[in-house]
Amino acid sequence: MHLFKSLLTTLLFTTLLTKGTLTMAQDQTQQNKQLLADFATAVFVKKDLSQLPNFMQPGYIQHNPLVPQGLTGFEQFFSAWFKAVPDWHYQLEKLVAEGDTVWAYGVYSGTQKGDWLGIPATGKHYSIYAVDIFRIENGKLAEHWDVLDAYGLFKQLGVIQ
């Protein structure tokens, strides 16, 4: 009987520990998704770059070679993009998260009215899909990768045929 109680206690403890750990991981995953949703709203929808320190690590690592490193580099790049494309729009379509990583699928669109990426103003509208991948560290965005339709962007802007 004592062996039975010990096994039952061990089984119960293991189940509670596993379930508790799983629940904590799920909570963290949801927090990471919410962080990215809030970031997208503040920075990409409202274009409020002053909010960046609330969402990003100062040493933010950027893997897109067009965007300079760090929070300041991100701010410079997007400030120029917002200026060149006054009707710049971002539509978040889907968020997927696992562990410390969140994937955002969305649409970037607007009309290029100013010089951007060395391309003189074209006056043309574009709409491209992109996947942005962020690593979260201590509740803030720490690292970023992206995959976007650069060919479609440059074709829509008339830069390539």
Side-chain angles (χ1 to χ4, degrees), residues 52-88:
L52 288 176
N54 297 329
F55 296 103
M56 297 177 117
Q57 297 285 345
Y60 176 79
I61 300 167
Q62 177 60 254
H63 293 283
N64 180 327
L66 297 175
V67 183
Q69 292 299 313
L71 186 150
T72 304
F74 183 96
E75 183 176 13
Q76 291 168 350
F77 180 83
F78 278 92
S79 178
W81 196 355
F82 295 161
K83 183 178 178 187
V85 183
D87 63 344
W88 195 94

Side-chain angles (χ1 to χ4, degrees), residues 54-139:
N54 297 329
F55 296 103
M56 297 177 117
Q57 297 285 345
Y60 176 79
I61 300 167
Q62 177 60 254
H63 293 283
N64 180 327
L66 297 175
V67 183
Q69 292 299 313
L71 186 150
T72 304
F74 183 96
E75 183 176 13
Q76 291 168 350
F77 180 83
F78 278 92
S79 178
W81 196 355
F82 295 161
K83 183 178 178 187
V85 183
D87 63 344
W88 195 94
H89 180 75
Y90 178 74
Q91 177 65 46
L92 179 61
E93 297 288 333
K94 185 156 185 83
L95 283 176
V96 178
E98 180 178 310
D100 66 352
T101 306
V102 181
W103 292 260
Y105 175 68
V107 181
Y108 294 88
S109 62
T111 308
Q112 187 203 8
K113 299 213 176 201
D115 294 355
W116 178 58
L117 296 178
I119 304 167
T122 64
K124 295 186 178 183
H125 183 79
Y126 67 88
S127 180
I128 58 168
Y129 291 92
V131 175
D132 290 285
I133 306 164
F134 294 90
R135 183 178 60 80
I136 314 296
E137 182 180 288
N138 298 323

Side-chain angles (χ1 to χ4, degrees), residues 17-76:
L17 182 63
T18 304
K19 184 170 175 60
T21 302
L22 181 59
T23 300
M24 287 187 331
Q26 289 171 336
D27 288 347
Q28 188 61 54
T29 298
Q30 282 307 113
Q31 288 174 14
N32 289 346
K33 285 173 73 174
Q34 189 61 54
L35 171 71
L36 199 58
D38 294 345
F39 167 78
T41 298
V43 177
F44 290 160
V45 175
K46 295 180 180 175
K47 300 179 193 136
D48 186 357
L49 296 172
S50 72
Q51 294 295 314
L52 288 176
N54 297 329
F55 296 103
M56 297 177 117
Q57 297 285 345
Y60 176 79
I61 300 167
Q62 177 60 254
H63 293 283
N64 180 327
L66 297 175
V67 183
Q69 292 299 313
L71 186 150
T72 304
F74 183 96
E75 183 176 13
Q76 291 168 350

